Amino acid sequence: MYPLIEIKTVPIEIEMKVNHAKLEYTRGTADLEISRGEGGLSIKSRPIKLNIDTFEARNSVVPTAIRSQEQYAQKGQQAAYSATATYAQQGQLLLDAKIGQELVTQFAADAQTKNLKMNVGLQFLPSVPPEISWDPGEMHIRYEMDKLNFDWRLNQPEFKFTPGDIELSVTQQPDVIIKYVGGPLYVPPSADPSYEPVDVEA
């Protein structure tokens, strides 16, 4: 007699995928930017400056109204002093005069001599020279060389870490397959076309 049932088991299938840890390194880069600054040459020159002040010289020839008043006042003051001295001198001579001495003639001669000395008429014009001064010349030279500017831009290196990973996936579920491998069962058994009665006498 052979078995009528066949039992088959299907095992579970598991797929495991492992991703290892990774450390990625990115190298740093450097950028260089060069710019040029232009220099130059500059020259500043100032010539000699001559200063001539002719105010006093012009006043000695054609004085201004204020200067004329001052000069006339000084001349009047000098004339008053001179006349006072002359009168004092003549008064002293009159006090010491002797009988028969002609003082009036002497006074007239002295006055004439004084007028001749005062009115000679020789005068150099202008009587005051102009004031002359000067500022020395200057020269400034400035030279600046060209400049090169270097601008470095450094990027730091970068590290990237990827942690490890384990993936588990079930590709096949476990199962039990029961299969009937026998022939059909007839009820009653005599309905089976290949039925053979059982000999119970033997």
Side-chain angles (χ1 to χ4, degrees):
M1 188 174 182
Y2 54 89
L4 299 178
I5 298 174
E6 182 181 341
I7 301 174
K8 183 180 180 182
T9 59
V10 179
I12 188 173
E13 291 185 3
I14 299 175
E15 182 181 352
M16 183 174 63
K17 184 178 180 181
V18 179
N19 296 322
H20 299 284
K22 294 187 298 182
L23 178 62
E24 298 178 356
Y25 169 71
T26 304
R27 298 182 61 183
T29 59
D31 298 331
L32 174 60
E33 182 178 347
I34 301 176
S35 60
R36 179 179 179 182
E38 296 183 357
L41 175 65
S42 61
I43 301 176
K44 294 182 179 180
S45 176
R46 189 182 71 180
I48 297 176
K49 183 179 179 181
L50 182 63
N51 303 315
I52 301 177
D53 187 2
T54 60
F55 180 76
E56 296 296 336
R58 286 184 287 106
N59 276 334
S60 65
V61 179
V62 181
T64 60
I66 298 176
R67 185 61 60 88
S68 297
Q69 293 177 2
E70 291 178 356
Q71 291 178 355
Y72 291 149
Q74 290 178 358
K75 290 180 179 180
Q77 188 176 7
Q78 291 178 358
Y81 289 157
S82 177
T84 303
T86 302
Y87 291 147
Q89 183 180 5
Q90 291 177 358
Q92 187 66 33
L93 291 175
L94 290 174
L95 290 174
D96 295 337
K98 296 179 180 179
I99 299 173
Q101 187 177 1
E102 295 182 0
L103 296 178
V104 176
T105 305
Q106 184 178 354
F107 291 161
D110 292 341
Q112 189 66 28
T113 304
K114 185 179 294 185
N115 289 332
L116 288 176
K117 291 181 180 179
M118 293 179 63
N119 296 324
V120 175
L122 294 177
Q123 185 178 4
F124 293 98
L125 295 177
S127 60
V128 179
E131 296 182 4
I132 300 175
S133 62
W134 67 88
D135 297 330
E138 294 181 357
M139 177 176 290
H140 298 280
I141 300 176
R142 181 181 178 183
Y143 174 71
E144 185 175 357
M145 298 180 61
D146 293 349
K147 296 180 181 178
L148 289 178
N149 302 317
F150 297 90
D151 187 8
W152 288 93
R153 298 174 182 173
L154 302 177
N155 296 324
Q156 298 296 330
E158 296 181 358
F159 293 90
K160 182 180 180 182
F161 176 72
T162 304
D165 188 15
I166 299 176
E167 296 180 3
L168 295 175
S169 59
V170 179
T171 59
Q172 180 175 297
Q173 298 290 339
D175 196 5
V176 176
I177 301 174
I178 301 173
K179 183 178 181 182
Y180 177 74
V181 295
L185 297 176
Y186 294 93
V187 180
S190 59
D192 187 358
S194 60
Y195 174 76
E196 295 179 358
V198 178
D199 189 4
V200 295
E201 292 181 359

